[in-house]
């Protein structure tokens, strides 16, 4: 066990050298309070491997280049921390009352409460999010493993559906409040059988492509009455069926990109 608990914020680990690693594993525990961790040299990395636990309350955390990796069986808990590095999580990650300024890629179990994310979050694992602020988008491939309440999205793109399997209603429920005037739901990757319902009551910008989209063979994507998709330099490839049948004439696909 390594403890560094300070009364006021102080430097605990500082290095501008290359190839500096902190590796917590095999029953190892790190407990930091009001500590600053700054590994600014190239090819640095903080790794929490199987059996390792890294807890941090207050202070700041920056690891250049390779960033932070929580492996399967590892656990990281951050409370009131300013996190300046990306996190790749395949283990257990908890963020409480923190600020995160780089992306998060969650493939394991992630819990976030009262945290501000200024960059995007990708989750294909289990996700519990409560009372957070998302300044960029949350990318998901389904909602079966997501529990969400009280989350505010301040950027234009709120939730991005990528290789998505689920309903629009479930995805929309993740957004408790959308602050941007032209807030929208993004779509990218593969689309399976789904009806794109009208979301404009909450997201006035409707749907926009966040990347190229493919409708898979044997699947049917239907646009509800009046629903349109805005394309900005991205393509839609149809191997299945795409339906857009409106009561009156309406725009289905809109783009001014070349």
């Amino acid at each position: 066990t390594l403890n560094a608990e300070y009364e006021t914020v102080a430097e605990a680990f500082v290095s501008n050298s290359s190839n500096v690693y902190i590796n917590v594993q095999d029953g190892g525990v790190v407990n930091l309070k009001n500590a600053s961790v700054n590994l600014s040299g190239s090819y640095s990395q903080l790794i929490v491997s199987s059996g390792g636990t890294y807890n941090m309350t207050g202070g700041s955390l920056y690891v250049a280049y390779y960033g932070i990796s929580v492996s399967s069986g590892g656990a990281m808990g951050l409370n009131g921390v300013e996190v300046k590095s990306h996190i790749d999580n395949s283990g257990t990650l908890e963020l409480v009352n923190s600020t995160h300024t780089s992306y998060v890629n969650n493939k394991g179990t992630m819990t976030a409460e009262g945290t501000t994310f200024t960059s995007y979050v990708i989750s294909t694992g289990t996700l519990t999010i409560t009372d957070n602020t998302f300044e960029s988008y949350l990318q998901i491939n389904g909602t079966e493993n997501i529990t969400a309440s009280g989350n505010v999205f301040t950027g234009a793109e709120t939730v991005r559906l990528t290789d998505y399997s689920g309903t629009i209603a479930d995805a929309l429920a993740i957004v408790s409040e959308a602050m941007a005037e032209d807030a929208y739901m993004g779509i990218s990757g593969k689309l399976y059988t789904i009806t794109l319902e009208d979301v404009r009551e909450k997201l006035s910008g409707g749907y926009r492509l966040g990347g190229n989209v493919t409708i898979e063979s044997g699947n049917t994507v239907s646009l509800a009455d009046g629903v349109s998709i805005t394309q900005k330099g991205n393509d839609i490839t149809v191997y299945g069926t795409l339906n857009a049948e409106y009561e009156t004439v309406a725009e289905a696909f809109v783009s001014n990109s070349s």
Side-chain angles (χ1 to χ4, degrees), residues 118-136:
T118 64
S119 187
Y120 61 89
V121 176
I122 300 172
S123 183
T124 55
T126 299
L127 181 65
T128 302
I129 46 176
T130 307
D131 298 333
N132 302 288
T133 299
F134 292 85
E135 296 182 3
S136 187

Side-chain angles (χ1 to χ4, degrees), residues 59-233:
S60 61
L61 177 58
Y62 174 63
V63 183
Y65 202 80
Y66 287 133
I68 302 163
S69 175
V70 184
S71 301
S72 178
M76 171 174 277
L78 305 174
N79 191 331
V81 179
E82 183 182 6
V83 188
K84 305 174 184 177
S85 302
H86 69 266
I87 300 177
D88 289 302
N89 176 53
S90 296
T92 301
L93 173 65
E94 182 178 27
L95 291 156
V96 178
N97 298 329
S98 296
T99 301
H100 198 281
T101 60
S102 188
Y103 71 84
V104 180
N105 186 6
N106 173 52
K107 298 178 181 178
T109 299
M110 174 178 166
T111 302
E113 180 177 357
T115 293
T116 297
F117 297 93
T118 64
S119 187
Y120 61 89
V121 176
I122 300 172
S123 183
T124 55
T126 299
L127 181 65
T128 302
I129 46 176
T130 307
D131 298 333
N132 302 288
T133 299
F134 292 85
E135 296 182 3
S136 187
Y137 61 87
L138 169 63
Q139 179 176 308
I140 60 174
N141 67 345
T143 58
E144 186 178 40
N145 296 319
I146 297 178
T147 302
S149 65
N151 297 291
V152 176
F153 289 77
T154 62
E157 186 172 12
T158 57
V159 175
R160 179 180 293 186
L161 312 182
T162 301
D163 299 340
Y164 183 73
S165 178
T167 69
I168 294 301
D170 287 342
L172 189 62
I174 295 171
V175 183
S176 293
E177 185 176 3
M179 301 294 290
E181 184 176 348
D182 58 346
Y184 65 91
M185 185 174 290
I187 304 172
S188 65
K190 298 176 182 177
L191 270 183
Y192 304 101
T193 295
I194 192 172
T195 296
L196 300 183
E197 305 287 353
D198 193 344
V199 298
R200 288 173 294 178
E201 185 174 344
K202 181 180 283 188
L203 306 178
S204 62
Y207 298 96
R208 297 185 189 179
L209 297 191
N212 293 334
V213 167
T214 301
I215 299 174
E216 292 293 286
S217 177
N219 289 268
T220 298
V221 174
S222 301
L223 276 60
D225 189 28
V227 169
S228 64
I229 297 176
T230 300
Q231 299 175 245
K232 291 192 173 182

